[in-house]
Amino acid sequence: MFIPLYDTNRLRHIRLQYVTIGLIVANVLVYLATTLGGENFTNAAVLGLGFIPALVHDKVALSPEFVVIPENLSYLTYSFLHADIFHIGGNMLFLWVFGDNVEDALGHIRYLIFYLACAVAGAFFQGLVAWDSQVPLIGASGAIAGVVAAYLILYPRVKVWVLAFARIPLRIPAFIPLILWILFQIVMFATAGEDQVSWACHIGGIIAGSILVLVLRSRGVPLLAGADGEPDPTPNIQQPPVPVEPATGDPAQPTSQWGRGAATPRD
């Protein structure tokens, strides 16, 4: 539908988005490690670190050679695995464009908690929808969906550059592509059925991100910021001048229309 390229939203509360950068680096390193290890190593990583609902819900057991972590840790570890270069490239591009400003609004530590919680929520929702599924869930999409939802709530009118239909460059308010993206996830979740993409994971991330951003944002950070990333200023309305009552004084001393005594000669 669209590819985000750049936003015009500067950082205001932090100097560098090092958590976002660290998450991107971690995802890329894990992808390289699993890819360079060969097909067998990649498959073992997916089975051992991916989120498998039937396994977590004790419907099946994993072969001992693939057990590398406690099952419940897969609620997190799955989000650092990706299927191919397009899978990780799309997720990391969204994280790079939108993650820095969400980190700015939440602060480093709360943002890291937010990101990981959205990843957990994505896996949890996938597990609810596909309770007995033995297909491993991998990818950062649940966490990224939470970041997108948070950005929409925080900065809906900030201008972003996007490639519409992957070829038409547009500079438009963020709420247009982000609302369309979220609606697309909802429609696909409702209609796609069995698919290689876990739309349920996206929905879980969106729900978690929409709630957590309200709780974790830093004090003083506004919601629904204006086009420059700041809340819309209060209009500067010029008030009409207020008439001033004439000063009370000597009756023999007349008062001007501006309330200041005018010196007049006396007989």
Side-chain angles (χ1 to χ4, degrees):
M1 183 181 295
F2 78 93
I3 300 174
L5 299 176
Y6 176 74
D7 67 348
T8 57
N9 200 359
R10 62 183 177 85
L11 300 177
R12 293 168 180 79
H13 307 287
I14 61 175
R15 297 185 63 181
L16 180 66
Q17 64 277 30
Y18 59 74
V19 175
T20 296
I21 294 173
L23 289 169
I24 293 174
V25 170
N27 277 277
V28 171
L29 290 178
V30 171
Y31 174 74
L32 292 176
T34 55
T35 302
L36 297 177
E39 184 176 354
N40 290 336
F41 185 79
T42 300
N43 292 336
V46 170
L47 289 173
L49 301 174
F51 177 77
I52 304 175
L55 180 65
V56 173
H57 300 147
D58 296 324
K59 299 295 183 179
V60 297
L62 194 63
S63 183
E65 64 266 26
F66 297 118
V67 177
V68 292
I69 59 170
E71 296 168 358
N72 287 334
L73 277 183
S74 64
Y75 279 100
L76 281 176
T77 56
Y78 86 95
S79 66
F80 292 92
L81 302 171
H82 290 85
D84 53 46
I85 190 67
F86 298 104
H87 190 199
I88 188 173
N91 280 338
M92 295 304 102
L93 181 59
F94 269 73
L95 184 57
W96 174 253
V97 174
F98 301 118
D100 59 337
N101 295 111
V102 178
E103 181 176 351
D104 185 51
L106 272 60
H108 302 301
I109 301 300
R110 287 191 295 271
Y111 172 69
L112 180 59
I113 295 171
F114 169 90
Y115 180 92
L116 297 178
C118 289
V120 170
F124 179 78
F125 199 74
Q126 169 69 9
L128 288 180
V129 172
W131 189 270
D132 297 327
S133 174
Q134 299 183 33
V135 179
L137 170 67
I138 60 173
S141 300
I144 303 304
V147 170
V148 169
Y151 194 99
L152 176 61
I153 292 172
L154 291 168
Y155 309 109
R157 292 186 296 278
V158 168
K159 297 296 180 64
V160 296
W161 279 100
V162 301
L163 281 181
F165 307 105
R167 64 183 61 192
I168 305 173
L170 297 173
R171 184 174 181 264
I172 53 179
F175 74 87
I176 297 175
L178 296 189
I179 286 179
L180 290 176
W181 186 87
I182 290 175
L183 289 176
F184 180 74
Q185 312 309 306
I186 296 172
V187 170
M188 293 304 294
F189 170 68
T191 61
E194 294 294 330
D195 200 339
Q196 289 186 337
V197 178
S198 174
W199 305 107
C201 180
H202 298 184
I203 298 301
I206 290 169
I207 294 172
S210 301
I211 296 172
L212 289 174
V213 69
L214 304 177
V215 177
L216 296 178
R217 66 190 171 103
S218 300
R219 181 178 300 177
V221 172
L223 301 176
L224 307 176
D228 60 352
E230 299 286 1
D232 291 335
T234 303
N236 185 17
I237 301 175
Q238 295 292 333
Q239 298 292 336
V242 178
V244 179
E245 294 292 335
T248 303
D250 187 347
Q253 195 78 342
T255 304
S256 74
Q257 62 178 331
W258 303 109
R260 181 177 299 176
T264 55
R266 290 191 179 186
D267 293 336

